[in-house]
Amino acid sequence: IGRTILVNLSEAKSQGLGSDIPTQEKIVANARIKLDSDEGLILYATADLTTVTDNPQTLSAYGNGVIATLEQYPGASVEDALLAVGNATDSGISSHLAVLAEIASAYKSTARELAVLAVPNTLSPLHLQVVNNFVRIAAACDDMRAVLSDPLRGLAGLRTFQSLTEETSRLFINIAQTFTKNGILFSEDEPGTAWSLLVAPY
């Protein structure tokens, strides 16, 4: 992406442009569009989900299923990803970034497993967002690996990673609140007990 900007700037200069602010802003805007697009990503659609009617049994099974899936892939770690980028940028050593490939793979696997869960109808829009966010987060990890070789791409990936992980946390809180509103309680020996950590006590 950095090279693309240079090529576009060179082309603009050959036409007698490039040193003016409007041309430069246009080139940067085009780069941002490319960075922020979902081009090349295979996202899930509503039709890809298995939806079921809402009742205490399906809600409980879903809640346990989501947490059990997340626990299967501890490599999908926000902290580890940010630490890798921080260590690489602080030291200038690219080997710190290698772990991002494993983290991206964990996020992709999480998305794939979540996509096959039976989802109660009322939660399907939130669930679809979560699944696709994990796909996008995996792609952001791939972009973050370029933070030393292509800083624009790497930093854009980091920005996307942070915004998506924050958004996904909010989605999980909304799902947890749905369980609370429907009186869904999980026992301490069920994976779903983790949902209670996301809902502030009354």
Side-chain angles (χ1 to χ4, degrees):
I1 291 169
R3 285 193 297 271
T4 300
I5 290 176
L6 288 174
V7 168
N8 290 340
L9 190 55
S10 296
E11 288 178 357
K13 283 187 175 179
S14 70
Q15 298 169 16
L17 303 170
S19 58
D20 60 301
I21 291 174
T23 299
Q24 292 174 3
E25 287 182 346
K26 182 179 178 182
I27 290 170
V28 171
N30 288 337
R32 282 179 179 160
I33 290 169
K34 186 172 182 179
L35 287 167
D36 293 337
S37 75
D38 287 331
E39 185 180 346
L41 291 184
I42 300 174
L43 299 176
Y44 292 86
T46 303
D48 296 321
L49 301 181
T50 300
T51 55
V52 293
T53 55
D54 290 52
N55 60 52
Q57 291 74 33
T58 58
L59 285 165
S60 180
Y62 170 77
N64 282 320
V66 169
I67 300 300
T69 300
L70 296 177
E71 289 176 345
Q72 265 186 281
Y73 299 100
S77 167
V78 175
E79 292 79 10
D80 289 350
L82 295 178
L83 184 62
V85 174
N87 286 338
T89 53
D90 286 345
S91 67
I93 299 172
S94 61
S95 60
H96 289 295
L97 300 168
V99 70
L100 289 171
E102 297 170 23
I103 295 172
S105 178
Y107 275 110
K108 287 175 190 173
S109 296
T110 303
R112 186 176 60 249
E113 295 295 326
L114 287 176
V116 299
L117 290 179
V119 186
N121 280 316
T122 56
L123 290 175
S124 61
L126 294 174
H127 185 76
L128 183 64
Q129 275 187 272
V130 168
V131 171
N132 282 331
N133 276 3
F134 279 128
V135 174
R136 293 183 177 105
I137 288 170
C141 286
D142 290 335
D143 287 338
M144 287 155 63
R145 289 176 66 192
V147 71
L148 296 181
S149 58
D150 189 344
L152 177 63
R153 179 185 172 193
L155 293 174
L158 178 61
R159 182 193 64 184
T160 300
F161 180 88
Q162 291 175 313
S163 65
L164 285 172
T165 52
E166 289 171 5
E167 179 184 306
T168 304
S169 293
R170 290 192 293 271
L171 291 169
F172 279 136
I173 289 170
N174 289 339
I175 292 171
Q177 289 172 338
T178 299
F179 294 136
T180 300
K181 288 174 185 174
N182 285 276
I184 305 301
L185 301 174
F186 298 94
S187 62
E188 288 186 8
D189 60 343
E190 290 182 295
T193 192
W195 290 108
S196 64
L197 302 174
L198 298 176
V199 183
Y202 293 105

